[in-house]
C-alpha cells in the first residue's frame, strides 16, 4: 500500500462507514468526531489488520519519514506529509523506486481509533498505539 497506514491498503474497509468514489463526500458523511483528530501526526503510531490477518503498524516520525511494520517485521519506509490546507490529507511516499504516493483523509476519532478514507473511497479503521522512536544508528 504505501504506508501501511494508511497502511492498510490491505486493511478491511469499515463495514458501518459510508463508502463513495469521492473521498471528500465520504468523509463529510461521517458523524461529527467523538474526539478531535490529532493536530500533529509526527510521533504517532497507528495499527490496522488486513483481510489475511496481517497486522500493520505505521510509525510517523518527526523528521518527515515513516516506518511500516508487517506482523512486527520491517515492511516499508518512506516520507510522509500532511496538507493542513484544503483537503487535509496525510500522504505517504514509499522510498521504493516506482512506488506511488497514497493519501488518506482522517475522518473521525472514536476512543483510540481513527477512521480514514483513502483511494477510491476506501475506509479503514486505525488503532492508535504507542509511538516508538527509530533507533539511533550512530550517524548523528
Amino acid at each position: 500500500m504505501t504506508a501501511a497506514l494508511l497502511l492498510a491498503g490491505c486493511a478491511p474497509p469499515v463495514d458501518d462507514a459510508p463508502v463513495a468514489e469521492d473521498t471528500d463526500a465520504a468523509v463529510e458523511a461521517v458523524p461529527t468526531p467523538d474526539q478531535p483528530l490529532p493536530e500533529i501526526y509526527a510521533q504517532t503510531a497507528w495499527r490496522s489488520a488486513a483481510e489475511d490477518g496481517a497486522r500493520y503498524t505505521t510509525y510517523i516520525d518527526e523528521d518527515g519519514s515513516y516506518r511500516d511494520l508487517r506482523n512486527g517485521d520491517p515492511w516499508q519506509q518512506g516520507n510522509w506529509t500532511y496538507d493542513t490546507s484544503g483537503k487535509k490529507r496525510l500522504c505517504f511516499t514509499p522510498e521504493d523506486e516506482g512506488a506511488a504516493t497514497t493519501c488518506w483523509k482522517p475522518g473521525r476519532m472514536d476512543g483510540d481509533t481513527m477512521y480514514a478514507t483513502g483511494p477510491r473511497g476506501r475506509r479503514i479503521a486505525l488503532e492508535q498505539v504507542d509511538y516508538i522512536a527509530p533507533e539511533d544508528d550512530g550517524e548523528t
Side-chain angles (χ1 to χ4, degrees):
M1 157 182 114
T2 305
L5 173 56
L6 300 175
L7 21 227
C10 301
V14 177
D15 293 333
D16 63 350
V19 176
E21 288 300 313
D22 177 8
T23 300
D24 292 333
V27 172
E28 290 170 5
V30 179
T32 305
D34 298 319
Q35 298 175 343
L37 291 170
E39 292 181 20
I40 299 172
Y41 288 92
Q43 297 184 336
T44 63
W46 305 88
R47 180 178 299 139
S48 69
E51 292 172 354
D52 66 1
R55 294 177 59 88
Y56 293 89
T57 304
T58 298
Y59 294 94
I60 303 175
D61 300 321
E62 189 172 34
D63 66 358
S65 65
Y66 74 88
R67 301 165 283 128
D68 283 337
L69 302 180
R70 182 179 190 273
N71 296 328
D73 296 321
W75 183 65
Q76 184 173 283
Q77 60 187 20
N79 296 306
W80 69 275
T81 58
Y82 181 64
D83 172 17
T84 57
S85 64
K87 296 188 178 197
K88 295 192 178 193
R89 299 181 312 161
L90 190 55
C91 297
F92 296 87
T93 304
E95 67 179 23
D96 297 335
E97 188 174 320
T101 297
T102 301
C103 295
W104 297 85
K105 184 166 184 173
R108 65 179 171 111
M109 290 289 294
D110 183 8
D112 287 338
T113 302
M114 175 173 57
Y115 296 90
T117 304
R120 295 177 299 285
R122 182 181 183 94
R123 302 240 335 130
I124 59 171
L126 301 161
E127 175 189 4
Q128 189 166 18
V129 296
D130 291 336
Y131 173 79
I132 300 171
E135 292 183 16
D136 183 8
D137 60 8
E139 293 182 21
T140 344

